[in-house]
């Protein structure tokens, strides 16, 4: 397998919604999830918890009972594996300090952990889609997740279908997102 540079991984990562009918190797899934443990977290509390769902029956239940409604995720019928991203919040950092500063630290922590996971998936030759629209109660029931654990998001993961051509991603111009010393002041103005 070709090794990618970090820049290549960053440019290659995108949301994939059509997968091959092929199971992902357990060692790759472990590697992908373990990469998240190197993400930063507030006060190093590491709230990230992941449930890897490879059981075909449970995958089908997640698709049927958790991914419908107003936003249709019909594309998910090709997903071979789901990774459920959860947070185990601590009393001081994720509850008291978060309320005091009005910053949901566990969401910041989980965003970093999930991004590590997504980038590692690319390095492993896998494709993924970070899903934010789903039914948490269904997921909780299907996977027996305790009430003390917050379900943050789902990640579909597998091998990208070769039948789909990747669209070129359109990204913003640098002067639309990179400012110097104050909002709106571009590097050209410095």
């Amino acid at each position: 397998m070709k090794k990618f540079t970090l820049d290549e991984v960053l440019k290659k990562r995108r949301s994939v919604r059509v997968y091959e009918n092929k199971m992902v190797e357990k060692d790759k899934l472990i590697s992908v999830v373990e990469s998240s443990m190197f993400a930063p977290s507030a006060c190093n509390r590491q709230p990230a918890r992941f449930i890897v769902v490879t059981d075909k029956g449970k995958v089908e239940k997640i698709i049927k009972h958790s991914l419908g409604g107003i936003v249709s995720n019909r594309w998910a019928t090709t997903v071979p594996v789901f990774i459920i991203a959860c947070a185990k919040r601590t009393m001081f950092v994720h509850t008291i300090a978060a309320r005091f500063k009005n910053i949901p630290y566990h969401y910041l922590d989980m965003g970093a952990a999930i991004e590590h996971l997504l980038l590692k998936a690319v390095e492993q030759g896998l494709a993924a889609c970070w899903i934010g629209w789903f039914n948490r109660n269904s997921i909780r029931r299907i996977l027996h997740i305790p009430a003390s654990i917050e379900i943050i998001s789902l990640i579909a993961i597998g091998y990208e279908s070769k039948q789909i051509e990747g669209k070129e991603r359109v990204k913003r111009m640098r002067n639309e997102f990179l400012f110097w010393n104050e909002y709106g002041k571009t590097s050209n103005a410095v």
Side-chain angles (χ1 to χ4, degrees), residues 47-49 85-89 106-107 110 148-152:
R49 304 294 189 270
C86 303
K88 183 175 182 182
R89 299 177 356 175
H106 68 292
Y107 281 113
M110 291 303 297
S148 62
I149 301 296
E150 185 174 350
I151 302 166
I152 304 296

Side-chain angles (χ1 to χ4, degrees), residues 15-125:
S15 295
V16 171
R17 292 180 175 84
V18 183
Y19 300 89
E20 286 186 13
N21 185 17
K22 178 181 175 183
M23 188 44 73
V24 179
E25 298 85 350
K26 187 175 183 178
D27 62 320
K28 285 188 177 187
L29 292 169
I30 290 169
S31 176
V32 164
V33 173
E34 282 184 343
S35 71
S36 69
M37 67 189 264
F38 298 102
S41 65
C43 296
N44 198 30
R45 290 295 177 227
Q46 303 174 39
R49 304 294 189 270
F50 296 95
I51 303 165
V52 178
V53 183
T54 58
D55 177 89
K56 192 170 178 72
K58 288 186 179 187
V59 167
E60 288 172 359
K61 282 182 181 179
I62 289 169
I63 293 166
K64 183 177 180 181
H65 301 291
S66 302
L67 294 176
I70 296 170
V71 174
S72 174
N73 285 314
R74 278 182 250 146
W75 61 266
T77 58
T78 64
V79 174
V81 177
F82 282 108
I83 298 175
I84 315 306
C86 303
K88 183 175 182 182
R89 299 177 356 175
T90 62
M91 180 56 79
F92 179 74
V93 173
H94 300 119
T95 305
I96 297 170
R99 275 194 200 130
F100 183 73
K101 295 303 284 180
N102 198 25
I103 298 172
Y105 293 111
H106 68 292
Y107 281 113
L108 300 176
D109 298 345
M110 291 303 297
I114 292 168
E115 183 64 10
H116 274 53
L117 184 153
L118 294 170
L119 295 175
K120 187 67 173 182
V122 170
E123 185 201 60
Q124 294 290 316

Side-chain angles (χ1 to χ4, degrees), residues 118-170:
L118 294 170
L119 295 175
K120 187 67 173 182
V122 170
E123 185 201 60
Q124 294 290 316
L126 300 169
C129 186
W130 190 346
I131 304 168
W133 189 281
F134 60 94
N135 184 312
R136 281 179 173 76
N137 293 330
S138 292
I139 296 289
R140 189 173 302 285
R141 279 191 306 275
I142 294 165
L143 302 177
H144 309 287
I145 301 171
S148 62
I149 301 296
E150 185 174 350
I151 302 166
I152 304 296
S153 61
L154 308 182
I155 298 112
I157 193 162
Y159 289 96
E160 183 174 9
S161 173
K162 303 224 185 311
Q163 297 174 353
I164 303 299
E165 280 188 38
K167 293 186 227 171
E168 186 165 333
R169 296 188 307 171
V170 178

Side-chain angles (χ1 to χ4, degrees), residues 3 9 14-15 23 42 45 84 97 111 127 154 178 183 185 190:
K3 284 290 185 185
V9 168
R14 62 191 184 84
S15 295
M23 188 44 73
R45 290 295 177 227
I84 315 306
L154 308 182
L178 175 60
Y183 189 88
K185 193 173 192 180
V190 175

